[in-house]
Amino acid sequence: GQQLNQSPQSMFIQEGEDVSMNCTSSSIFNTWLWYKQDPGEGPVLLIALYKAGELTSNGRLTAQFGITRKDSFLNISASIPSDVGIYFCAGTLSGTYKYIFGTGTRLKVLA
Amino acid sequence: DTGVSQNPRHKITKRGQNVTFRCDPISEHNRLYWYRQTLGQGPEFLTYFQNEAQLEKSRLLSDRFSAERPKGSFSTLEIQRTEQGDSAMYLCASSLLTSGGEQYFGPGTRLTVT
């Protein structure tokens, strides 16, 4: 199935550092969602974006809907050990309510 | 509101057997989605319902797979004549028609076909 490209694929960071990850596509998307998934659990919704250029925060998390509508970014500030997990982006193409998911960014935080 | 629930959480079955999973969405959520997720991958769309109508199905949903949402509330996903390649996490999600698209997932059903 089709999936979005996420970068980086994985990252190790020190506690307290800021984290950036992105999601890119060759197609224009109408909606972007960011999720975090822990092992053996379902994804948990973090942030939803609906307009090009939109910047939305949820606590230490900030996400942006790219101007070209082909990408989105997620930043985590002052990371803590519980930020460990897999982060997925997901988006919908114009005219559909089917969500396409990214390949995931695996985050590990070193205390 | 207790969120999206899925049953069972784990299922081990022998190849060739039929299995059925249940999803109870967040109450009043009109849309219900099924996804499959294999190790190291993101969720892959299988199908979605708006109320009781099944509006879209992925090519991943072979003729051995069938999903229903008979009264527009809970949904079932059945896999007939299971194969080892069906081993995966099956995720259900729901959203409200008017919410703009925020989709909430259940904990998933882990299927292992031996």
Side-chain angles (χ1 to χ4, degrees):
Chain A
Q2 182 181 3
Q3 291 202 327
L4 298 166
N5 295 318
Q6 276 187 252
S7 178
Q9 189 174 13
S10 63
M11 55 196 313
F12 286 82
I13 60 167
Q14 292 285 340
E15 183 177 359
E17 287 185 348
D18 296 344
V19 175
S20 292
M21 61 190 77
N22 66 70
C23 192
T24 60
S25 168
S26 56
S27 303
I28 291 175
F29 279 72
N30 278 351
T31 304
W32 289 97
L33 304 179
W34 283 93
Y35 289 90
K36 178 176 182 281
Q37 187 174 29
D38 292 327
E41 300 294 329
V44 174
L45 181 65
L46 301 174
I47 292 180
L49 301 161
Y50 301 105
K51 296 179 183 177
E54 179 181 354
L55 190 70
T56 297
S57 293
N58 177 9
R60 294 179 296 106
L61 278 60
T62 301
Q64 185 163 23
F65 194 138
I67 291 291
T68 65
R69 297 174 62 191
K70 292 183 178 181
D71 55 13
S72 181
F73 308 88
L74 177 68
N75 295 314
I76 305 172
S77 62
S79 57
I80 58 178
S82 62
D83 290 334
V84 164
I86 305 176
Y87 291 79
F88 288 104
C89 62
T92 56
L93 296 166
S94 177
T96 177
Y97 294 104
K98 179 180 81 171
Y99 278 90
I100 299 169
F101 276 76
T103 48
T105 293
R106 286 147 188 80
L107 179 63
K108 297 190 180 181
V109 180
L110 306 174
Chain B
D1 189 348
T2 57
V4 179
S5 62
Q6 291 187 246
N7 287 289
R9 291 293 308 274
H10 304 275
K11 179 70 176 179
I12 300 174
T13 191
K14 292 185 177 180
R15 189 176 53 190
Q17 296 294 306
N18 298 344
V19 293
T20 300
F21 310 140
R22 175 176 171 130
C23 171
D24 287 89
I26 294 171
S27 60
E28 298 180 355
H29 274 197
N30 320 85
R31 293 202 179 113
L32 186 150
Y33 297 76
W34 285 100
Y35 293 85
R36 181 171 69 187
Q37 185 177 29
T38 53
L39 202 60
Q41 301 295 316
E44 290 184 294
F45 171 83
L46 292 178
T47 188
Y48 94 91
F49 294 83
Q50 184 164 304
N51 299 311
E52 65 275 10
Q54 189 173 19
L55 295 188
E56 191 167 350
K57 292 196 294 185
S58 164
R59 285 172 294 179
L60 293 173
L61 213 65
S62 75
D63 55 5
R64 295 185 299 106
F65 287 70
S66 63
E68 294 183 344
R69 193 182 184 199
K71 296 182 180 179
S73 56
F74 73 91
S75 176
T76 57
L77 178 69
E78 181 183 17
I79 309 175
Q80 296 182 328
R81 306 181 302 280
T82 52
E83 301 172 356
Q84 288 188 320
D86 297 331
S87 295
M89 174 80 92
Y90 290 84
L91 293 162
C92 176
S94 70
S95 68
L96 197 56
L97 191 64
T98 55
S99 73
E102 294 175 16
Q103 194 176 176
Y104 297 89
F105 280 85
T109 295
R110 168 71 66 189
L111 173 66
T112 302
V113 182
T114 61

